[in-house]
């Protein structure tokens, strides 16, 4: 995906090689992504790592699947941090990997869909959550708009574009995410 962006979009593309679960559980991935933003915000690091024309005032976070989940959480965290130069101006969440305790209609209807199954998603969520927190799909990292959701109404999140796949078992979670963003007063398309 990053290579496609780099070929097609007139932008500097930075890809984060974040640590993976189950060897590294939450919040390792989120910390790694956020640390890259802090690294790029440092003038010396930026001048050594990015081309001169890189505009840190127009940064977009983008991700597919787990990367879509990370894009949401890292942008939320970035909005609460005081960067010197860097500004997140948009988020692109492509079929973001969200879920929850409740089983949705799309999870039942698309149970046999390729790539993502309920059994597989449960395994992945269990692999990422810290063992000390127990396995609960309503954890705010998984169910961003659920009963334990962070109140984002006062956070100045950038506009968010959510790409929803028609045959994705998690489509209902992605639609709920969009509805939650709108109810929280955020710009989403």
């Amino acid at each position: 995906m990053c290579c496609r962006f780099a070929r097609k979009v007139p932008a500097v593309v930075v890809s984060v090689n974040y640590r993976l679960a189950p060897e590294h559980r939450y919040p390792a991935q989120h910390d790694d992504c956020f640390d890259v933003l802090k690294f790029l915000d440092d003038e010396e690091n930026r001048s050594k790592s990015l081309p001169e024309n890189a505009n840190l005032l127009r940064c977009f976070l983008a991700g597919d699947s787990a990367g879509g989940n990370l894009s949401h959480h890292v942008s939320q965290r970035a909005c609460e941090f005081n960067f010197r130069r860097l500004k997140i101006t948009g988020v692109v969440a492509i079929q973001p990997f969200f879920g929850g305790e409740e089983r949705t209609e799309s999870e039942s209807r698309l149970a046999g869909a390729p790539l993502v199954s309920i059994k597989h998603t449960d395994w992945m969520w269990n692999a990422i959550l810290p063992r000390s927190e127990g396995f609960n799909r309503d954890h705010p990292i998984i169910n961003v708009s659920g009963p334990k959701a962070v109140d984002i109404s006062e956070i100045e999140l950038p506009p968010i574009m959510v790409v929803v796949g028609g045959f994705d078992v998690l489509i209902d979670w992605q639609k709920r995410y969009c509805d939650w963003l709108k109810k929280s007063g955020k710009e989403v398309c």
Side-chain angles (χ1 to χ4, degrees):
M1 184 181 79
C2 292
C3 290
R4 283 187 186 149
F5 281 156
R7 282 193 306 270
K8 302 281 185 180
V9 179
V12 175
V13 177
V14 176
S15 177
V16 180
N17 187 20
Y18 56 84
R19 292 172 285 171
L20 302 176
E23 295 81 10
H24 304 281
R25 293 177 176 265
Y26 168 78
Q29 303 76 14
H30 298 76
D31 291 344
D32 291 349
C33 293
F34 192 71
D35 285 347
V36 168
L37 296 179
K38 292 191 301 188
F39 176 87
L40 294 174
D41 190 51
D42 179 83
E43 181 60 34
E44 185 178 336
N45 293 335
R46 186 196 65 75
S47 65
K48 290 178 183 176
S49 305
L50 295 175
E52 231 178 85
N53 65 342
N55 185 351
L56 291 180
L57 295 175
R58 293 179 42 147
C59 291
F60 283 75
L61 298 182
D64 182 19
S65 192
N69 179 307
L70 280 166
S71 294
H72 166 78
H73 290 291
V74 173
S75 69
Q76 178 183 319
R77 190 169 166 186
C79 291
E80 298 171 321
F81 189 80
N82 190 22
F83 288 106
R84 288 183 296 255
R85 295 184 50 140
L86 187 135
K87 180 169 176 47
I88 306 298
T89 56
V91 175
V92 179
I94 304 167
Q95 292 181 257
F97 196 77
F98 297 131
E101 280 295 314
E102 173 195 345
R103 294 301 186 196
T104 65
E105 188 274 332
S106 66
E107 289 172 315
S108 298
R109 180 174 44 85
L110 299 168
L115 299 179
V116 179
S117 68
I118 298 306
K119 183 178 179 182
H120 191 206
T121 59
D122 284 351
W123 183 90
M124 287 188 280
W125 290 129
N126 195 30
I128 196 169
L129 287 176
R131 286 187 177 97
S132 62
E133 293 186 33
F135 179 55
N136 183 321
R137 290 184 307 271
D138 279 337
H139 188 287
I141 283 306
I142 299 169
N143 191 351
V144 293
S145 59
K148 300 175 184 176
V150 173
D151 179 6
I152 61 167
S153 59
E154 300 299 318
I155 299 172
E156 291 187 38
L157 283 175
I160 300 172
M161 181 175 88
V162 182
V163 178
V164 176
F167 295 104
D168 187 340
V169 255
L170 304 177
I171 190 171
D172 290 339
W173 294 109
Q174 296 157 2
K175 288 178 179 179
R176 287 181 186 187
Y177 173 60
C178 292
D179 292 341
W180 173 70
L181 289 168
K182 288 175 188 172
K183 288 177 187 169
S184 299
K186 307 306 168 203
E187 186 179 340
V188 61
C189 65

